[in-house]
Amino acid sequence: MAQSPYLSQAVTKVDVDEGHNARFSYAAANCQGWRNTQEDTHIAKLNLDSTTSLFAVFDGHNGPEVALFLAQNFAEYLEKCGPYRRGHIQRGLQETFMELDSALLKSKCNSEKLLKYHRMCTVNHPVVAESVALLTGSTGVVLLVKNDIYYVANVGDSRCLLARDGRAIQLSVDHKPTVPEERARIEKAGGKVMDGRVNGVIDVSRAFGDHHLKARTNEKTGAELSEKETLVVAWPHLTVEPANAKKDAFLVLMCDGIWNAMDNQAVVAFVQRGLDAKWPLAKIARRMIDKIRPEKMPPTGIVGKDNMTVVIIKPESTGSSKSLHTPESVKSKDSSSLKAKGAAKSAVSTTESKGALKGSSSGGAGGGGTSRKSPSGTNKGGGGGGSGKSKSIKSNDTGGKK
């Protein structure tokens, strides 16, 4: 008999870390909840360098191993990435996503790290000798803030929200197999979308890991596929948004365990009420999780039953707008959560496209291009994405060979 993914009693402990410097304060909270493993991880690095902060949420599936690997290694891979080092931020993020995904499978050292994480798990799940990353994967949403510009890169359905003028603006795109662009790629690669899942297996069409769904040949035709043409890909969507000091109140990174229970606008309203009440960010993040997690196991559905991770980032009204330099009595050091249980000019050539990138109940636009301004429209769980016109820029190397 298959083991239930849920516990008979929820893990209610909420782990929180927080910190601040001259530009930002943040709080990150996570809770295992009713799931039998904690598969979420996060990154909060206030001072990646003197002008840059890095935040991320990774939501693992079929095990925490890939999410743990990403939390531990993403910053290092980004800083070593050639385009990023040369000032090509967008291209650097794209290549870092692809390089990390490839490294999960190809590097013996990384495979050993994944197996180490696997041995930390308290719940057994299938692995194969070649690599844990064949059957295990993770979504990822990354927020890089550099010189007052928000760079958001994501695969899967973890989200980044910007609270601007009281509105929730989604800066990420949910990659779901039912999105027309995603479905087209899956079918072209010889796959099917069944019950909203890729080949009936996973309900996101872009992710790290899941290499059993990244075969480089079409099983039906034998045609060769690039790494951006497979059933599931790690090529991220990018959004570039200039910060607006007068209108931007905060940003939120969250896994679907949060937004399945609270739509985007509800999340922004909840955080704003906490700020109006002078609550610390840590209290707001903790209270949000407490609000979502039910005391008793819901008999149906997923709401309230998943792992929950939220990171709230608030720009400081004082301090340098260009340089981070020395933190002001940071309460906790830059962190990458690693618990398995409770555990400049872009190098991308772009062309203008008509209209806006629209988020939808099935996950929004599936394009892997770059958008300036935020995707608009409604989202699964009630919507709340920003409205109005957006200007999108699609990368011309989306879907082609890297």
Side-chain angles (χ1 to χ4, degrees), residues 217-237:
T217 57
N218 184 312
E219 292 184 3
K220 293 181 179 179
T221 67
E224 292 186 3
L225 303 171
S226 79
E227 57 195 343
K228 290 184 279 186
E229 296 173 325
T230 54
L231 297 171
V232 173
V233 299
W235 183 254
H237 177 271

Side-chain angles (χ1 to χ4, degrees), residues 293-310:
R293 187 190 61 248
E295 292 186 8
K296 295 183 179 180
M297 165 73 83
T300 60
I302 187 65
V303 175
K305 294 161 68 173
D306 207 351
N307 299 148
M308 293 161 284
T309 295
V310 60

Side-chain angles (χ1 to χ4, degrees), residues 32 37-39 41 64 68 117 120-122 338-343:
Q32 182 174 335
T37 55
Q38 170 57 286
E39 298 179 344
T41 63
L68 289 165
Y117 298 146
M120 292 166 59
C121 296
T122 59
L338 293 170
K339 296 184 179 180
K341 176 181 177 294

Side-chain angles (χ1 to χ4, degrees), residues 144-289:
L144 183 84
V145 189
K146 189 175 185 68
N147 293 330
D148 300 322
I149 298 176
Y150 306 132
Y151 297 90
V152 178
N154 84 284
V155 293
D157 60 3
S158 294
R159 292 180 179 175
C160 176
L161 304 181
L162 169 63
R164 175 173 286 172
D165 268 347
R167 291 190 305 128
I169 301 175
Q170 187 171 325
L171 299 182
S172 55
V173 166
D174 298 342
H175 295 121
K176 293 294 190 179
T178 49
V179 173
E181 296 93 332
E182 302 293 290
R183 181 189 291 270
R185 187 195 69 245
I186 293 164
E187 292 177 348
K188 186 177 179 180
K192 293 182 179 180
V193 177
M194 298 181 288
D195 297 324
R197 295 173 176 265
V198 180
N199 282 359
V201 180
I202 60 172
D203 68 351
V204 290
S205 53
R206 303 193 187 199
F208 294 99
D210 298 306
H211 279 278
H212 71 293
L213 296 171
K214 293 177 178 176
R216 297 291 290 274
T217 57
N218 184 312
E219 292 184 3
K220 293 181 179 179
T221 67
E224 292 186 3
L225 303 171
S226 79
E227 57 195 343
K228 290 184 279 186
E229 296 173 325
T230 54
L231 297 171
V232 173
V233 299
W235 183 254
H237 177 271
L238 278 172
T239 300
V240 179
E241 178 70 19
N244 187 322
K246 294 182 178 179
K247 296 183 177 181
D248 297 347
F250 53 86
L251 298 104
V252 177
L253 301 183
M254 58 185 178
C255 66
D256 64 344
I258 300 293
W259 65 256
N260 271 327
M262 299 175 68
D263 66 46
N264 290 352
Q265 193 61 43
V267 169
V268 165
F270 186 94
V271 175
Q272 189 59 58
R273 284 195 298 272
L275 292 173
D276 292 344
K278 308 300 183 184
W279 288 0
L281 293 182
K283 181 177 180 179
I284 298 172
R286 186 187 300 272
R287 287 289 182 90
M288 183 181 295
I289 287 177

Side-chain angles (χ1 to χ4, degrees), residues 1 7 22 43 92 95 102 126 135 181 183 191-192 194 261 278 311-312 344-345 357 374:
M1 177 181 290
L7 300 168
I43 295 172
E95 291 198 4
S102 177
L135 298 177
E181 296 93 332
R183 181 189 291 270
K192 293 182 179 180
M194 298 181 288
K278 308 300 183 184
V311 183
I312 305 169
K345 182 178 179 182
L357 282 173
S374 65

